[in-house]
Amino acid sequence: MVVGEVLRIFISPGHNFFGHHGKPAGQHPVEAVDAARCVADAGIVGDRFFEYKPAYKGQITFFECETFNALAAALAVSNRGPEVLRRNVITQKVRLNDLIGREFSVDGVRLRGREECRPCYWMNQAFGPGAEMFLKGQGGLRAEILSDGEIRVGSRLTVD
């Protein structure tokens, strides 16, 4: 059953916030791509969490465009895009929290939703004051990659 669509895909070669507690944010670019090569149990080729550690629960992350639009409206922010939230895949028409603990696929790549991608205090710096609080309970989805393949912008998310 089709449950959603991939609108955008982002990768970044380095960490801007992860591991930077008490230090300034990093300056690694976020790159929008049309496709991302996924490797089972490793992550997205070229992304900062690729081969981070075995069975890492955030090998790929997802975020709902509807939540991004609501966040931008609630905080009256119009000069930032969803890439600042540091999630890999921006989706529409899917409730990502419903995929926690479930297997799903994108372009034949099998994935398992592991947990909410909880927002942290860096969201207030990356997006704007109040972002962390607004995103509690809707910060996106951390997933593990179960099979190799490529996901593309315009792909459908399906749940068996």
Side-chain angles (χ1 to χ4, degrees):
M1 170 176 63
V2 174
V3 296
E5 180 181 359
V6 173
L7 292 182
R8 305 202 45 206
I9 301 171
F10 300 105
I11 60 172
S12 179
H15 297 283
N16 286 351
F17 305 107
F18 189 81
H20 286 245
H21 180 71
K23 303 177 210 167
Q27 298 298 314
H28 297 282
V30 177
E31 179 184 355
V33 295
D34 292 328
R37 180 86 183 130
C38 298
V39 178
D41 295 322
I44 299 171
V45 174
D47 190 63
R48 65 203 179 278
F49 283 109
F50 185 69
E51 296 183 326
Y52 174 63
K53 61 183 174 181
Y56 183 59
K57 58 190 169 192
Q59 295 167 4
I60 186 170
T61 55
F62 294 81
F63 193 79
E64 299 170 18
C65 78
E66 295 89 349
T67 300
F68 176 80
N69 293 337
L71 172 67
L75 300 184
V77 172
S78 61
N79 63 344
R80 290 188 176 67
E83 67 277 3
V84 302
L85 300 177
R86 309 288 288 178
R87 306 300 190 249
N88 300 119
V89 180
I90 308 301
T91 64
Q92 73 175 356
K93 299 179 183 172
V94 58
R95 293 290 308 148
L96 294 172
N97 284 349
D98 293 346
L99 299 178
I100 294 171
R102 297 184 70 185
E103 288 190 20
F104 61 101
S105 64
V106 179
D107 274 344
V109 177
R110 300 290 303 159
L111 305 141
R112 180 181 300 115
R114 292 290 302 267
E115 67 181 20
E116 179 196 354
C117 199
R118 290 180 295 279
C120 68
Y121 65 90
W122 284 107
M123 293 292 183
N124 296 329
Q125 179 179 331
F127 189 81
E132 177 187 11
M133 183 60 73
F134 184 92
L135 292 173
K136 285 188 187 275
Q138 56 185 357
L141 176 71
R142 290 176 181 243
E144 71 182 295
I145 300 169
L146 304 176
S147 67
D148 295 351
E150 189 172 81
I151 61 172
R152 295 169 198 79
V153 170
S155 300
R156 305 279 188 234
L157 277 86
T158 58
V159 177
D160 298 328

